[in-house]
């Protein structure tokens, strides 16, 4: 048999393989799009449930009256308390989920979370310091101090890691060092001053109950702008996953990408932490679970993590209001109780999703 004839005989098989390969991506894409639609529907249902559930349960008619009729009994409860809380839960959950996905992609470590940049520690250290020197202050001042501390800690981690020469490993080590030093400082100040301990006690648990006094518009705008910028980093992060040298060859500057990523993470996680206090496991568990469904493509991981983070945090908040009614369990505690065992199960029973 001639070489030309052999090639002609193999051609149909190659064409068939090519057709099968081209048919697979649309099927997977359809599954991913369907997953996004399911998440959006679930988020809408949870938002309604969040407005309806509390120490006083409401039916859908009362919720609607509370949204539309300023003279109704349910209006102040729905509009002034539960609706801001729901909006904050959506925004903070989305911010933490996206920040975790960005952090894990930047460090190429599926077990990393935003706290690795010192965001939580910096926020706590700033609030503790302000409380020690100033005394008691309002929730608005708490947000300002916490956000400033988160930003300073992130910059410190980046500089300690070597700034322009920072690598994923050096970022992780610098973050661990700043986090350890920060928590030691926070603990020391709290032990020395009982008033500071009282000021920190409620904020450090992580809660959405102060949503009605939080400056919601600036919070949502900050998170929205940072989220849009973070999602735009998806394609460069896909290139970075191949290694710094390959990313550079594809036209991506790893140093610029890491600066942009750290900035987005700081604004996302810093804003959420400043308003709600440090809430753990959202940024750690959510991206890991998401990748087991979407695969490592950041074009899907980032939006999925954003929606899934909002679902996780809002569901935890609703659960916290139900399990101890008429009192409630703070959302930070619910996330820790639910996220810890679930994450241990994922690590022990399944392979860690590849980045």
């Amino acid at each position: 048999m001639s070489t030309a004839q052999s090639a002609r005989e193999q051609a149909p098989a190659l064409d068939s393989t090519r057709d099968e390969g081209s048919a697979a991506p649309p099927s997977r894409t359809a599954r991913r799009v369907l997953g996004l639609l399911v998440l959006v529907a679930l988020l809408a249902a949870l938002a309604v449930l969040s407005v309806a559930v509390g120490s006083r349960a409401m039916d859908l008619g009362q919720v609607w009256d509370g949204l539309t009729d300023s003279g109704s009994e349910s209006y102040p409860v729905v509009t002034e308390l539960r609706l801001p809380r729901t909006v904050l839960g959506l925004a903070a959950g989305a911010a933490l989920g996206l920040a975790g996905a960005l952090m894990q992609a930047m460090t190429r470590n599926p077990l990393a979370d935003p706290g690795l940049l010192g965001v939580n520690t910096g926020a706590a250290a700033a609030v503790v310091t302000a409380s020690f020197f100033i005394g008691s202050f309002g929730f608005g001042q708490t947000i300002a101090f916490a956000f400033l501390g988160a930003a300073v800690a992130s910059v410190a981690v980046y500089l300690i890691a070597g700034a322009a020469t920072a690598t994923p490993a050096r970022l992780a080590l610098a973050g661990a060092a700043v986090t350890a030093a920060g928590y030691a400082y926070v603990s020391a100040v709290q032990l020395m001053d009982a008033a500071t301990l009282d000021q920190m006690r409620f904020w450090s648990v992580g809660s959405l109950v102060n949503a009605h006094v939080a400056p919601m518009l600036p919070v949502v705008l900050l998170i929205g702008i940072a989220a849009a910028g973070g999602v735009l980093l998806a394609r460069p992060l896909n290139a970075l996953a191949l290694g710094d040298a390959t990313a550079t060859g594809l036209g991506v500057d790893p140093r610029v990408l890491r600066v942009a990523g750290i900035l987005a993470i700081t604004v996302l996680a810093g804003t959420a932490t400043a308003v709600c206090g440090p809430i753990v496991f959202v940024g750690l568990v959510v991206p890991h679970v998401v990748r087991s469904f979407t695969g490592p493509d950041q074009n899907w991981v980032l939006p999925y993590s954003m929606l899934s983070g909002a679902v996780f945090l809002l569901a935890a908040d609703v659960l916290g209001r139900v399990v101890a009614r008429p009192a409630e369990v703070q959302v930070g505690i619910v996330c820790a109780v639910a996220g810890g065992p679930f994450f241990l199960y994922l690590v022990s029973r399944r392979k860690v999703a590849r980045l």
Side-chain angles (χ1 to χ4, degrees):
M1 182 184 295
S2 67
T3 304
Q5 183 180 356
S6 176
R8 282 194 299 271
E9 289 176 355
Q10 291 176 6
L14 292 173
D15 290 340
S16 174
T17 303
R18 191 180 297 114
D19 291 340
E20 289 176 5
S22 63
S27 174
R28 190 172 189 183
T29 299
R31 184 170 65 97
R32 288 165 169 172
V33 171
L34 178 61
L36 284 177
L37 294 176
V38 169
L39 282 175
V40 170
L42 182 58
L43 206 52
L46 281 170
V48 173
L49 194 61
S50 176
V51 175
V53 171
S55 57
R56 170 190 165 193
M58 296 181 181
D59 57 34
L60 291 179
Q62 290 174 306
V63 171
W64 180 253
D65 288 342
L67 291 171
T68 58
D69 182 7
S70 58
S72 70
E73 264 184 49
S74 55
Y75 183 81
V77 176
V78 171
T79 306
E80 297 174 15
L81 296 176
R82 294 187 185 175
L83 188 60
R85 181 170 182 161
T86 300
V87 172
L88 180 58
L90 291 171
L96 292 171
L98 180 57
L102 288 170
M103 189 69 206
Q104 291 174 13
M106 279 179 52
T107 60
R108 298 199 288 273
N109 177 4
L111 303 182
D113 77 327
L116 198 62
L117 277 183
V119 172
N120 292 349
T121 306
V127 174
V128 158
T129 303
S131 179
F132 183 77
F133 287 104
I134 299 174
S136 180
F137 44 81
F139 187 66
Q141 287 78 16
T142 300
I143 293 175
F145 288 130
F147 184 79
L148 179 62
V152 169
S154 296
V155 171
V157 168
Y158 184 66
L159 293 177
I160 293 171
T165 60
T167 62
R170 292 174 72 175
L171 278 172
L173 290 173
V178 169
T179 298
Y183 273 124
Y185 168 76
V186 169
S187 299
V189 174
Q190 287 179 321
L191 288 173
M192 290 189 298
D193 186 56
T196 300
L197 180 60
D198 289 337
Q199 176 83 11
M200 284 289 296
R201 184 178 296 148
F202 188 76
W203 178 82
S204 63
V205 171
S207 175
L208 302 177
V209 297
N210 286 314
H212 63 287
V213 296
M216 291 300 297
L217 183 59
V219 167
V220 173
L221 281 177
L222 269 176
I223 289 176
I225 293 170
V231 170
L232 290 176
L233 298 178
R235 294 187 69 181
L237 286 171
N238 280 336
L240 188 67
L242 303 175
D244 286 13
T246 304
T248 302
L250 294 172
V252 175
D253 188 335
R255 294 171 297 180
V256 174
L257 177 57
R258 288 194 180 102
V259 170
I262 288 173
L263 181 61
I265 292 167
T266 301
V267 175
L268 288 167
T271 304
T273 302
V275 180
C276 306
I279 297 177
V280 296
F281 281 114
V282 179
L284 180 62
V285 172
V286 165
H288 180 69
V289 176
V290 162
R291 280 193 303 274
S292 68
F293 178 78
T294 65
D297 186 355
Q298 298 300 324
N299 289 299
W300 293 99
V301 171
L302 297 185
Y304 259 89
S305 295
M306 190 164 56
L307 290 174
S308 300
V311 167
F312 182 60
L313 189 63
L314 205 57
D317 185 49
V318 171
L319 180 62
R321 285 184 254 170
V322 171
V323 294
R325 189 183 286 177
E328 69 175 73
V329 180
Q330 305 305 322
V331 68
I333 297 174
V334 177
C335 286
V337 171
F342 184 56
F343 181 69
L344 291 175
Y345 169 79
L346 286 173
V347 172
S348 62
R349 296 293 182 184
R350 304 174 64 174
K351 292 167 60 179
V352 175
R354 183 174 59 89
L355 282 171

